[in-house]
Amino acid sequence: MRVKMQWLRDYLDSKETMDITQVSKALNAAGLEVEEINDIASKIQNVYIATIEELNINSENEEQIICTAKIDEQIYTIKIPLIKALVKDKIALIIENNKAKYCSWSYLGFEISEPIWMKSVDLNSDVKKLSEIPEFNDYIITLGVTPNRCDALNHIGVSRELAALMEDRKSTRLNSSHTDI
C-alpha cells in the first residue's frame, strides 16, 4: 500500500517536527514494513510546467502526438504517446541541456507511463516548476501490510498507528465517533 507523507501529517499534531526517518522507524516498529520511500521532491527539480500550444498526430507514427509547448518564451517540440481524450492545457517537461522530454508518472516511481498533464484552472498562474506544487514536494511510503493489519490499509489507519506510537493526540481528526446501527 502507498501513502503520502502529507496525508499522514494532515492527521497528526506533531507534523512540524515529524521527518521521514522518524516515520519509517515508527511504522517498522509497529509491524508495518516500510518497503520503499519514494522522494518525489528530489526527482522534480528540473521538471517544468509548459503550456501546450499545439497538438498534432505524428504523420510518421499514428501512436504519437507531436506536442508544441511553451515555457516562458521558449518553445519546445516533443513526441508523446497518443492520448485518446486530452482536455488538459499544461504538461510537465523535463528540461536537461536545453532539451525537453515529457515527464511521465513512471519518472516519479509509479507504474503509469502516461505524461503528467494539468489544467490551468488547477494551477496558480505563477507556478513554473512542478516542485512549486505542494502535492509533488512529498514522499510516498510503500508499506507491506500483512493480512492481520486491515486497520492499516488506508492513510487514516496508518495515521492512527503513528499517533499511538508517537503519543500524538489529535483526537478531533483521528478518533471517529461510532454510531450504533
Side-chain angles (χ1 to χ4, degrees):
M1 186 192 81
R2 291 186 178 147
V3 64
K4 285 184 68 180
M5 182 74 165
Q6 187 57 51
W7 294 345
L8 300 178
R9 282 189 181 116
D10 286 347
Y11 287 92
L12 298 170
D13 278 337
S14 61
K15 60 184 164 190
E16 304 308 322
T17 59
M18 186 173 64
D19 72 354
I20 192 68
T21 306
Q22 242 183 325
V23 169
S24 178
K25 287 179 182 178
L27 291 173
N28 279 321
L32 299 173
E33 180 188 357
V34 176
E35 294 177 347
E36 179 184 12
I37 297 172
N38 186 354
D39 181 5
I40 296 175
S42 69
K43 297 177 182 179
I44 60 172
Q45 295 311 308
N46 61 340
V47 179
Y48 294 82
I49 298 170
T51 303
I52 297 171
E53 298 286 315
E54 187 177 1
L55 293 171
N56 294 307
I57 300 287
N58 186 349
S59 60
E60 298 170 9
N61 181 352
E62 291 183 3
E63 298 295 315
Q64 285 183 337
I65 296 173
I66 297 180
C67 174
T68 304
K70 184 177 180 181
I71 302 172
D72 293 327
E73 297 304 314
Q74 182 70 38
I75 302 287
Y76 297 95
T77 302
I78 56 169
K79 294 177 183 175
I80 56 176
L82 180 65
I83 306 297
K84 300 267 185 232
L86 181 65
V87 294
K88 315 286 192 220
D89 61 347
K90 301 278 186 184
I91 187 169
L93 297 180
I94 302 166
I95 309 292
E96 293 174 336
N97 299 325
N98 216 19
K99 295 191 184 229
K101 62 181 180 179
Y102 73 88
C103 182
S104 70
W105 289 102
S106 60
Y107 182 78
L108 302 182
F110 298 99
E111 289 95 22
I112 305 168
S113 60
E114 183 177 316
I116 298 174
W117 306 97
M118 289 154 264
K119 291 182 183 178
S120 289
V121 295
D122 297 334
L123 296 174
N124 180 329
S125 62
D126 297 336
V127 174
K128 303 278 189 230
K129 294 183 79 173
L130 206 56
S131 61
E132 296 171 13
I133 302 172
E135 291 81 6
F136 285 95
N137 270 318
D138 205 358
Y139 296 94
I140 304 265
I141 304 167
T142 303
L143 298 172
V145 182
T146 56
N148 66 325
R149 292 303 309 267
C150 61
D151 62 311
L153 287 176
N154 60 52
H155 66 282
I156 294 173
V158 175
S159 295
R160 284 187 179 132
E161 189 68 33
L162 277 174
L165 290 166
M166 300 172 107
E167 297 180 3
D168 192 317
R169 304 287 181 232
K170 194 170 188 176
S171 59
T172 56
R173 300 279 309 264
L174 289 175
N175 293 333
S176 60
S177 58
H178 297 284
T179 56
D180 293 328
I181 298 178

